[in-house]
Amino acid sequence: MSLLTVKDLTLGYNSGSIIENLSFTVNEGDYLSIVGENGSGKTTLMKSLLHLQKPLGGEIIVSNDLKANEIGYLPQQTVLQKDFPATVKEIVLSGCQSHMGYRPFYGKKEKALARENMELMGILDLEKRCYKQLSGGQQQRVLLARALCATRKLLLLDEPVAGLDPKVTIEMYETIKSLNEKGITIIMISHDIAAALEYSSHILHIGKTIFFGTKKDYLCSKEGQSFTGKEKIYA
């Protein structure tokens, strides 16, 4: 079943468009990696999917089964965010806010959900630690647990391994893969084309030309062969 359908989307700013005539569909259980050159509009697209930026044209159709507050988001971290002086538990709990309406305090349901997701991310033993004292990999797990408190359906990830060392990078990719195998749909911006081809089910390539399809078809496309530098086609 389709969760998101993008039709003839045009994205940009007052100075002009960055992307034109973009169309693709994300179904339940998909793992979509968005790749392309720097400045091609990947983050702008992500903001539009989150309704943080209005498209210049076209439409984004969201399934009736997916509410606006049921999309989890893991943004790129800024230096200021890395030094945020809150505990792990406080940050993870904050992911529940979209479900609370006008209630000012977290209840048993939110606390149980936060604990469940800290356990899932292997950070329950860090719940009282200050976020800014954690390693980069631990911080990303905290933010992923926070995003999971917002949804069990769709996660949007913007460069989730940026700045992580190789070992932690692999661990993060495996964690995301595990979440996808549990039924969570993934949309991820990535500069790591090798990882995108290893883990994704579908590729959206944004650049001078646009490609959307399975990763196998991407390797057979001119966009895929050009971007990966592969002259031969691998099945």
Side-chain angles (χ1 to χ4, degrees), residues 120-168:
L120 184 62
M121 291 295 103
I123 56 170
L124 185 58
D125 59 325
L126 303 176
E127 64 176 334
K128 296 181 180 179
R129 289 274 302 277
C130 184
Y131 177 78
K132 67 179 181 180
Q133 295 174 346
L134 304 180
S135 68
Q138 289 171 330
Q139 288 185 341
Q140 286 297 79
R141 285 182 175 274
V142 171
L143 295 180
L144 199 48
R146 180 186 184 276
L148 288 171
C149 283
T151 184
R152 298 299 294 183
K153 292 184 178 180
L154 175 64
L155 279 176
L156 273 59
L157 313 173
D158 191 350
E159 292 290 349
V161 301
L164 302 182
D165 66 48
K167 179 178 182 295
V168 178

Side-chain angles (χ1 to χ4, degrees), residues 162-176:
L164 302 182
D165 66 48
K167 179 178 182 295
V168 178
T169 292
I170 293 172
E171 290 174 352
M172 182 57 66
Y173 279 133
E174 288 296 325
T175 297
I176 296 168

Side-chain angles (χ1 to χ4, degrees), residues 54-212:
K54 189 175 180 180
L56 298 180
E59 57 183 334
I60 300 172
I61 303 169
V62 180
S63 166
N64 291 331
D65 292 330
L66 181 66
K67 299 176 183 178
N69 64 355
E70 291 181 330
I71 300 176
Y73 177 44
L74 178 62
Q76 289 191 51
Q77 281 202 86
T78 65
V79 173
L80 182 62
Q81 288 169 331
K82 290 181 179 181
D83 288 333
F84 195 64
T87 67
V88 167
K89 183 177 181 180
E90 288 170 339
I91 289 176
V92 175
L93 267 171
S94 69
C96 300
Q97 290 178 354
S98 61
H99 303 290
M100 293 175 60
Y102 295 104
R103 284 190 292 121
F105 302 108
Y106 299 114
K108 291 182 180 180
K109 182 179 179 181
E110 289 80 29
K111 292 176 181 178
L113 181 60
R115 182 181 180 86
E116 175 188 339
N117 287 319
M118 284 189 287
E119 285 183 329
L120 184 62
M121 291 295 103
I123 56 170
L124 185 58
D125 59 325
L126 303 176
E127 64 176 334
K128 296 181 180 179
R129 289 274 302 277
C130 184
Y131 177 78
K132 67 179 181 180
Q133 295 174 346
L134 304 180
S135 68
Q138 289 171 330
Q139 288 185 341
Q140 286 297 79
R141 285 182 175 274
V142 171
L143 295 180
L144 199 48
R146 180 186 184 276
L148 288 171
C149 283
T151 184
R152 298 299 294 183
K153 292 184 178 180
L154 175 64
L155 279 176
L156 273 59
L157 313 173
D158 191 350
E159 292 290 349
V161 301
L164 302 182
D165 66 48
K167 179 178 182 295
V168 178
T169 292
I170 293 172
E171 290 174 352
M172 182 57 66
Y173 279 133
E174 288 296 325
T175 297
I176 296 168
K177 176 185 176 183
S178 175
L179 292 173
N180 182 240
E181 290 173 344
K182 285 177 168 57
I184 297 178
T185 304
I186 305 292
I187 301 177
M188 178 179 70
I189 292 177
S190 179
H191 283 98
D192 187 346
I193 187 63
L197 290 172
E198 180 177 353
Y199 292 101
S200 305
S201 62
H202 294 76
I203 302 288
L204 173 62
H205 179 109
I206 300 173
K208 293 180 180 178
T209 58
I210 293 171
F211 171 91
F212 170 69

Side-chain angles (χ1 to χ4, degrees), residues 7-66:
K7 288 186 176 181
D8 300 321
L9 204 66
T10 298
L11 302 175
Y13 304 90
N14 293 333
S15 57
S17 61
I18 301 173
I19 304 171
E20 295 181 349
N21 302 318
L22 175 62
S23 297
F24 64 93
T25 299
V26 180
N27 293 318
E28 283 186 354
D30 283 355
Y31 189 143
L32 172 66
S33 284
I34 303 173
V35 302
E37 296 81 3
N38 289 335
S40 58
K42 298 186 295 295
T43 297
T44 302
L45 172 59
M46 186 74 82
K47 289 179 179 178
S48 297
L49 295 178
L50 290 163
H51 304 290
L52 299 176
Q53 181 169 326
K54 189 175 180 180
L56 298 180
E59 57 183 334
I60 300 172
I61 303 169
V62 180
S63 166
N64 291 331
D65 292 330
L66 181 66

